[in-house]
Structure formats: structure tokens, C-alpha cells
Amino acid sequence: DPQNWFMSAVSDPHDFDYDPADTNVAQAVAGNNSDLGFIGDVITCLIPYTDDTLIVGGDSTIYMLRGDPMAGGQIDLISKAIGMAWGQAWCMDPVGTIYFMSNRMGVFSLIPGQQPVRISQGIEKLLQAVNTGTHAIRMIWDDRHQWLNLFISPTAAPGATTHYCYEAR
């Protein structure tokens, strides 16, 4: 069920009762039992942007869920050509710009409501060799230095982690 998404009840992260006796807007919800339905792609990551906005990274798409799914929320397509790498291959700076590794091994910036912008042109050839089946990708924003840290670590056996740094200034 890789296109399905699940949310606990509001203010109760342990309540996943999708069919309570009394239906209400605060109950747990899943894509397959809501009016919003499935995401049209394999879900690879979830980015909590604000209390009312969730960015859903897919294998080859990006969606934005706005509002409460049980109270008129909606899912909007951001990109049908660019997806997000699996896991924590994203981070956010203090002003709300999201940085992520794409399904095509490029680094992008994203301001919700706009199209993603590629920022990794200078290291594209180095990133093309990354295999997400054998490596984990992790991104962390460093506010003190105003830069993005990109770590690529082997998962199958101990090995060296590759580290890239993108200075936003």
C-alpha cells in the first residue's frame, strides 16, 4: 500500500481508530478511507511544514496536503516530474525553504506553492553515482553558518560518509 498515508487522531498520536463509533473531524484518517484518497505515487518522505501543511515526497512526484483531511483539506500536486529520495533526505532553513535530494540525485530548494529549483549544478556528476539502495542520505541545516549539510553514508557495511556543504549566502 505504498501510495496510502495515515494520520493519528488530533492530539492523540496513539489513536489510529479510522472507524470510530462517532465520526468527527479530529479522528484518525487514512488516504484509503478519506475523500482525499491515495497519493498518486509511492510515498518516500513526509515533511511537516506547518500545522496545516504537509509536503508529501513521492518517488517521482511532490504533493502538498493543506488543512485537516477530515475537515475539507486538500491535496495539491507541486511537481509531477521531480520526486524526493527516501527518508530524511531533506531539511528546512529558518525562513521555511525546504532543501531535498531528488529522485534523480540532484539537490533542490522548495518554497511550498512554488516549483522546486535545482541548486546542485556544481556537483551533479558526483551525485549521479549515488545509489539510494546502498546509501542513506541525510540533510541538516546549520543556521550558525547558513549552510546545508548533505551526508551520504553506506548502509550495508561500515564505510566512509561523503559530506557536501552548500552555503546559502
Side-chain angles (χ1 to χ4, degrees):
D1 217 1
Q3 295 92 5
N4 206 359
W5 49 272
F6 305 89
M7 292 184 179
S8 68
V10 174
S11 299
D12 188 353
H14 302 288
D15 180 355
F16 282 91
D17 182 0
Y18 303 119
D19 191 21
D22 296 319
T23 302
N24 62 72
V25 297
Q27 77 180 49
V29 62
N32 64 328
N33 73 351
S34 77
D35 292 338
L36 298 179
F38 291 117
I39 296 295
D41 195 2
V42 173
I43 297 172
T44 57
C45 71
L46 299 173
I47 302 173
Y49 189 70
T50 68
D51 287 347
D52 268 353
T53 305
L54 178 71
I55 305 298
V56 181
D59 189 49
S60 58
T61 59
I62 302 171
Y63 287 87
M64 180 171 55
L65 191 153
R66 293 183 297 149
D68 190 320
M70 293 298 291
Q74 65 184 43
I75 297 176
D76 299 315
L77 178 67
I78 293 176
S79 173
K80 62 181 178 180
I82 300 167
M84 295 184 172
W86 183 86
Q88 292 186 320
W90 66 272
C91 67
M92 189 171 13
D93 70 16
V95 297
T97 302
I98 298 168
Y99 299 92
F100 67 92
M101 177 70 82
S102 78
N103 59 324
R104 298 180 182 171
M105 295 298 103
V107 178
F108 286 77
S109 65
L110 172 66
I111 297 170
Q114 298 179 16
Q115 289 296 303
V117 176
R118 185 182 296 268
I119 61 171
S120 60
Q121 293 87 339
I123 59 170
E124 288 294 309
K125 290 183 181 179
L126 298 171
L127 295 176
Q128 292 303 315
V130 175
N131 178 343
T132 57
T134 60
H135 290 78
I137 300 167
R138 171 110 184 185
M139 298 177 99
I140 300 170
W141 178 261
D142 181 334
D143 195 42
R144 178 175 171 230
H145 295 103
Q146 296 294 298
W147 62 45
L148 162 72
N149 290 288
L150 167 63
F151 300 96
I152 302 170
S153 305
T155 57
T161 292
T162 303
H163 176 222
Y164 297 102
C165 183
Y166 172 78
E167 185 174 6
R169 292 177 286 207

